[in-house]
Amino acid sequence: MSPRRTNAERTETTRAQLTRAARELFSERGYASTTIAEISERAGLTTGALYHHWAGKEALLVDVVHDIHRELAVRIRSRGRVEDEPVAHLLHSGREFLAFCADPAVARLLLLDAPAVLGYERWRQIDEQWWLSTTTRLVERARATTAGAGLGVEGTGAGAESSRRLALALLGALTYLGHEVAMKGRPTVAGAGRTYEVLLKSLFP
């Protein structure tokens, strides 16, 4: 006989079902064209179950965005072991993000619907929650291993705040390159990746 699931396990399963259903429908139809009833039906649950966990569709979108970031983080970890070399890690992570943006469903949710619905500030906070601290640590290590790095880095000043600003600049560059990939499709991934590589090498020669 299998052990009975705890309340926490049941809650986790229900939330996962609804998040997955919402992500599928948001990808297929867009956020605005998807209803709470349709999400619940796709998940095989009631609208009451959905409202038990989220205040509404916007709150559910937040969890969908976190789910996309989580998937990207797993993808980055699983497709390369470059943790010992910070610049290589930054390049690998950036290339994986750009390839991720070539998926129309990801691009639509992460780069179009999410900032439009949640507002730029909240969307940016989620992005930073996932990537800013890691990118800042990699930048700090890269600066240390490249003896202060290049001219562009030297002008930013020393210390943790300087590394944080550089990390924000790299994340911002990736976001804009990701938008280009999202608009123009998979053939632009390689070129966007090379542009990001040039940027990294100019900072950390």
Side-chain angles (χ1 to χ4, degrees), residues 166-197:
L166 282 169
L168 284 170
L170 290 175
L171 292 173
L174 280 173
T175 296
Y176 277 96
L177 288 170
H179 273 285
E180 182 177 25
V181 169
M183 289 186 293
K184 297 182 179 179
R186 191 166 297 279
T188 61
V189 171
R194 285 192 294 271
T195 299
Y196 182 61
E197 183 175 7

Side-chain angles (χ1 to χ4, degrees), residues 40-110:
S40 302
E41 182 180 359
R42 175 69 66 93
L45 297 165
T46 65
T47 56
L50 191 151
Y51 281 116
H52 178 73
H53 296 286
W54 293 278
K57 194 167 65 166
E58 183 177 318
L60 181 51
L61 177 63
V62 171
D63 273 16
V64 169
V65 173
H66 278 289
D67 190 59
I68 293 171
H69 282 295
R70 186 177 299 106
E71 181 181 330
L72 176 59
V74 170
R75 175 171 170 161
I76 289 171
R77 288 195 300 269
S78 66
R79 296 193 178 187
R81 296 187 61 80
V82 292
E83 294 85 351
D84 293 335
E85 211 296 298
V87 178
H89 194 160
L90 286 167
L91 180 58
H92 166 71
S93 300
R95 284 173 170 166
E96 289 295 338
F97 169 73
L98 293 171
F100 209 49
C101 290
D103 180 340
V106 169
R108 180 175 193 170
L109 278 170
L110 191 61

